[in-house]
Amino acid sequence: MKTFLKSLVAVLLVALPVAARAGTVTVKGSDTMVILGQRWAEEFMKKAPATKVQVTGGGSGTGLAALQNGTTDIAMSSREMKDAESKKLRARYNTTGEEIAVAKDGVTFYVNAGNPVTALTLEQLRGIYLGDITNWKEVGGPDAAIVVYSRENSSGTYVFVKDNVLDGEDYTSSAQTLPGTAAVVNAVAKEKHGIGYGGAAYAKGIKELNVKKGNEEIAPSADNIKTGKYPLSRNLYFYLRNKPASEVKAFIDFALSPEGQAVVTKVGYFPVK
Amino acid sequence: MRNTLLAILTLTAAPALAQQAEPPASDAPPDAPAAESQPAPAAPEEPSLDERMTNAEGKVTSLEEQNAETQTVLSALTKLKLSGYVQARYQYQESLDDTGAGGFSRFTVRRGRLKTTYTTDWAQMMLQIDAVPDTGVTVRDAEATFYVPGMKKKLSLTLGQMKWPFGFEAVQSSSDREIPERTRVVRAFLPDERDRGAKFSGEFLKGRMTIDVGVFDGDGLFNQGFIGSDNDKEKDIIGRAGFDLKWLSGGISGWYGHSLGRRPTDTYRVAYDRNRVALDAQLYLDVLPFGGTSIKAEYIKGNSYWRSSGGTKVEQLGVPASGWYGLVVQNVSLTNAVAVRYDYFDPENGQPNLETADGKPGSNNAVGTLAVALLHHFSENLKATLAYELPMTAAPGAAEDPHDNLLTFQLQARY
């Protein structure tokens, strides 16, 4: 029995992975935040050359799954962590996780620059994305079928729109799924009857829709997003398993510093501080 | 005759073959002028820009149609989730007493679960089976859930065979638990954790509050003599109201029902009370630099619990009992954890612990069990657990605590 126990302990010790990868910070998740994360990483590594920051996308869900599986230090997410994800962290790591808001963003709906429609209500957007409204003439546009573009379901933006615009219901099956906000913008720019959505950072070369609320048309402007007046504004988050320490803490401190928040503005998002 | 034919064929074929093999002579006449040959066919005209655009648009439309079709197929697949896990063990238990009776050294497959879930906006189907060598294939969960439309799946009604919504440990997945088996008190009051019934679940205040309440047969999965059906017309009402502040969660559970049965002293069947109450709390701390800490505790008190007797479970009609446990789990780095649990179960509340005539602890004496476990996650799919449990049976007088310490090494693979 003693021999058996000794062998078992030996096997477990041999199997122990290296606890920490000194000098490397891995950041994974939201495609909306990839550019932001990469800019932060570039600037941070100039200041701390001994530290390597690796930033990859894949969507908020992918990043949060990597956090639960122990394969990333930081998960970037454009939505809040779901209860189920939080429960998995508790079950596996006995922690509740750390949520750090690092930037603000407004989810913007885009239409082709040639489309006369300039604003839609949330109900109209909901109707379009549920498939109840299929022609632009139903919302004051030309008599043409609406071509709906969406993101893949691992995207935090996809979940945000589903929760906040579609009231949790499923997207119309005719919505075309595209990988990344840049692809959505590109598609809408080419398709004159298209509509898509994404972060404000990518909204260049196409027309951003205002959101109608009563008689007011609210633009996804910096002020409206920062104050929360724009109804589809949201925080962008870093999630961690535990309180940040060592290189991870240094990187997050940099992202939240005036210099890091200036990067947020340069990329096209809005600072949290 | 055959030889003659062969000779003729050889003679005829030889010049022809020689002609093919020889290169053309240098003084051979040049090729006939082009003017004398057949006119070359005219080169096809280049397609116009319009034609190319039309072709390209056709191809794009075709791809879009294919994409839409693929998406329809894939969107159905994203609703389907297949998961499962296997818990394979080696266990060693001391001989129960000095005579050498009892005890074992064995390999077992404790759980072999396969779970299928299909979720749409309005509905969820969940089927979980257990396939292990000793009991074969059994149905653990078979649930049909209806989500109230427009409520973002926060309100639901489930019918079928499911876990009793009672307490914390009974509901927790065996794949997530740190100590291989549930506590004695939970195994007594909620053996196999499941029953057939209907359950309403609601999530309120942004998930900070949950209510689960249902009507169940009350007998569980094993109901001796009535497998798969109720033993009476009595139905049990079971529920839990919980709160979740992330760092602190907990709940209060209640169970009200009756069980129709006959104790040895009864002439006719009697509807005995089957009631329980429970309190549970879980605290998650992040104070140590090497990993998170959780502290979990639960207390259950009630009557009409089940006791194993040989290979069967017998309901202790109307007998009051109580128990509790406390569990501390400390993560050490990302992949390792240590868990320590103490659980206590008094199977006959208010009755003194006894010594039997042959000098052993009474069968209804209280048992406190200290368990220590080391956990290592090789990856997200593979977990090893080494656990040692020390049951301490109350032993008054000259009675001795049985030698029933248990070592378990478990490897859990999941997907």
Side-chain angles (χ1 to χ4, degrees):
Chain A
M1 195 60 208
K2 280 182 182 171
T3 314
F4 171 76
L5 276 178
K6 280 180 187 170
S7 311
L8 191 64
V9 171
V11 167
L12 286 177
L13 287 175
V14 168
L16 288 178
V18 180
R21 293 145 297 165
T24 302
V25 178
T26 52
V27 186
K28 193 171 192 174
S30 165
D31 286 321
T32 304
M33 295 172 71
V34 166
I35 291 179
L36 183 56
Q38 284 171 342
R39 295 283 181 278
W40 272 330
E42 285 163 16
E43 297 302 318
F44 177 73
M45 285 190 286
K46 283 180 196 166
K47 290 175 164 296
T51 305
K52 192 176 177 191
V53 183
Q54 295 172 336
V55 182
T56 50
S60 301
T62 308
L64 290 165
L67 194 71
Q68 291 155 23
N69 297 335
T71 52
T72 190
D73 297 314
I74 299 173
M76 300 184 291
S77 179
S78 56
R79 61 168 170 82
E80 286 183 16
M81 190 188 277
K82 292 179 189 170
D83 280 349
E85 290 161 338
S86 176
K87 280 175 183 161
K88 277 184 188 168
L89 268 190
R90 285 192 281 187
R92 172 73 170 77
Y93 299 102
N94 298 295
T95 68
T96 53
E98 284 286 311
E99 178 188 277
I100 302 167
V102 289
K104 277 182 177 278
D105 178 34
V107 169
T108 311
F109 281 84
Y110 323 118
V111 291
N112 187 275
N115 194 321
V117 174
T118 57
L120 292 172
T121 63
L122 283 178
E123 289 71 30
Q124 287 171 323
L125 289 167
R126 183 168 183 266
I128 290 170
Y129 272 85
L130 288 180
D132 299 335
I133 299 172
T134 55
N135 195 300
W136 280 111
K137 71 178 177 186
E138 296 174 65
V139 291
D143 183 5
I146 301 173
V147 181
V148 179
Y149 294 105
S150 174
R151 295 287 315 281
E152 62 284 75
N153 61 8
S154 62
S155 151
T157 315
Y158 169 98
V159 176
F160 181 85
V161 170
K162 185 174 178 180
D163 286 347
N164 293 278
V165 180
L166 308 188
D167 290 336
E169 291 191 52
D170 255 356
Y171 285 79
T172 169
S173 58
S174 65
Q176 295 180 42
T177 306
L178 295 169
T181 310
V184 174
V185 169
N186 193 36
V188 174
K190 287 180 180 166
E191 170 55 64
K192 61 182 179 179
H193 299 126
I195 183 168
Y197 60 83
Y202 294 89
K204 294 188 174 106
I206 39 116
K207 190 162 70 177
E208 294 178 341
L209 285 179
N210 296 341
V211 173
K212 260 192 231 171
K213 215 173 175 183
N215 294 325
E216 194 180 5
E217 287 189 9
I218 305 164
S221 65
D223 281 346
N224 288 340
I225 289 169
K226 274 194 276 190
T227 58
K229 186 180 178 189
Y230 180 67
L232 298 173
S233 53
R234 60 177 175 172
N235 281 328
L236 302 177
Y237 299 101
F238 275 177
Y239 280 100
L240 296 90
R241 278 175 294 269
N242 303 94
K243 284 194 171 64
S246 59
E247 290 97 344
V248 174
K249 183 174 188 306
F251 176 62
I252 292 171
D253 285 346
F254 170 77
L256 293 173
S257 70
E259 198 178 344
Q261 291 294 295
V263 172
V264 172
T265 311
K266 270 186 205 165
V267 170
Y269 294 109
F270 310 101
V272 283
K273 291 193 168 180
Chain B
M1 185 63 188
R2 188 184 295 169
N3 289 340
T4 311
L5 277 174
L6 198 63
I8 293 169
L9 279 173
T10 309
L11 287 171
T12 318
L17 288 170
Q19 204 172 358
Q20 278 182 4
E22 280 176 15
S26 59
D27 56 351
D31 290 337
E36 290 175 26
S37 65
Q38 292 293 323
E45 281 184 25
E46 287 288 319
S48 69
L49 190 60
D50 276 354
E51 283 172 337
R52 286 165 60 188
M53 282 298 290
T54 307
N55 283 340
E57 279 176 0
K59 284 178 183 169
V60 169
T61 308
S62 161
L63 285 172
E64 279 176 355
E65 284 169 4
Q66 286 175 29
N67 186 36
E69 197 175 333
T70 310
Q71 274 183 2
T72 307
V73 174
L74 286 178
S75 67
L77 285 177
T78 58
K79 292 169 184 162
L80 179 68
K81 190 180 166 196
L82 202 62
S83 59
Y85 63 93
V86 168
Q87 290 179 342
R89 290 180 181 174
Y90 167 77
Q91 288 187 302
Y92 178 85
Q93 189 186 52
E94 300 172 272
S95 297
L96 289 174
D97 54 36
D98 295 335
T99 66
F104 46 76
S105 168
R106 66 188 183 196
F107 288 100
T108 56
V109 179
R110 177 64 181 86
R111 295 177 177 90
R113 299 286 166 85
L114 187 62
K115 183 175 166 183
T116 309
T117 312
Y118 190 84
T119 311
T120 67
D121 284 343
W122 284 35
Q124 185 182 70
M125 182 285 284
M126 198 267 268
L127 182 68
Q128 182 172 221
I129 58 169
D130 189 43
V132 289
D134 51 346
T135 55
V137 179
T138 52
V139 175
R140 302 297 291 176
D141 302 281
E143 303 177 6
T145 297
F146 165 68
Y147 291 114
V148 177
M151 298 303 293
K152 299 182 183 178
K153 297 181 182 167
K154 308 267 185 213
L155 292 180
S156 64
L157 178 70
T158 302
L159 265 77
Q161 181 167 296
M162 70 200 88
K163 282 190 171 174
W164 281 309
F166 189 94
F168 175 78
E169 196 186 49
V171 184
Q172 187 187 26
S173 168
S174 295
S175 62
D176 289 337
R177 210 175 37 251
E178 292 84 6
I179 308 290
E181 289 301 330
R182 290 186 171 84
T183 50
R184 236 166 249 263
V185 59
V186 170
R187 279 183 278 161
F189 281 116
L190 303 119
D192 290 330
E193 309 96 40
R194 292 164 174 87
D195 201 355
R196 290 160 302 280
K199 179 183 74 172
F200 167 82
S201 293
E203 196 180 304
F204 310 96
L205 304 173
K206 293 186 176 176
R208 283 195 283 271
M209 189 179 174
T210 54
I211 290 176
D212 296 273
V213 63
V215 179
F216 293 84
D217 282 348
D219 299 305
L221 300 188
F222 49 85
N223 192 20
Q224 305 297 336
F226 300 90
I227 299 289
S229 64
D230 201 354
N231 65 329
D232 54 38
K233 290 182 180 173
E234 301 288 342
K235 291 287 167 283
D236 294 12
I237 299 167
I238 302 161
R240 178 179 186 267
F243 69 93
D244 190 349
L245 307 175
K246 306 291 183 194
W247 64 278
L248 177 67
S249 56
I252 180 166
S253 306
W255 180 318
Y256 175 79
H258 293 90
S259 183
L260 205 58
R262 196 163 48 195
R263 288 165 71 163
T265 53
D266 295 331
T267 309
Y268 303 104
R269 292 206 297 167
V270 176
Y272 284 97
D273 284 349
R274 182 160 54 195
N275 301 328
R276 297 121 172 68
V277 288
L279 289 170
D280 66 86
Q282 304 82 43
L283 177 65
Y284 298 89
L285 303 167
D286 192 13
V287 288
L288 297 174
F290 46 84
T293 313
S294 66
I295 302 169
K296 300 167 189 176
E298 189 167 358
Y299 171 78
I300 305 175
K301 182 178 177 165
N303 54 23
S304 297
Y305 62 95
W306 284 271
R307 263 182 83 182
S308 291
S309 175
T312 61
K313 292 189 178 80
V314 178
E315 190 164 19
Q316 308 298 297
L317 294 164
V319 178
S322 66
W324 60 273
Y325 70 82
L327 167 70
V328 178
V329 189
Q330 176 62 55
N331 257 63
V332 183
S333 80
L334 284 180
T335 51
N336 301 299
V338 181
V340 180
R341 184 179 78 186
Y342 182 78
D343 76 85
Y344 180 84
F345 180 55
D346 185 352
E348 260 187 44
N349 266 358
Q351 295 297 317
N353 295 316
L354 300 171
E355 180 185 355
T356 59
D358 55 353
K360 291 180 179 171
S363 60
N364 291 337
N365 288 8
V367 182
T369 306
L370 180 66
V372 181
L374 304 175
L375 298 103
H376 176 68
H377 294 264
F378 290 92
S379 68
E380 60 186 288
N381 309 110
L382 188 64
K383 177 172 80 171
T385 305
L386 180 66
Y388 195 71
E389 293 170 70
L390 298 93
M392 291 167 276
T393 308
E400 273 190 30
D401 180 21
H403 298 174
D404 50 1
N405 294 357
L406 177 67
L407 175 83
T408 303
F409 174 66
Q410 176 176 285
L411 207 54
Q412 173 182 291
R414 66 185 295 175
Y415 71 100

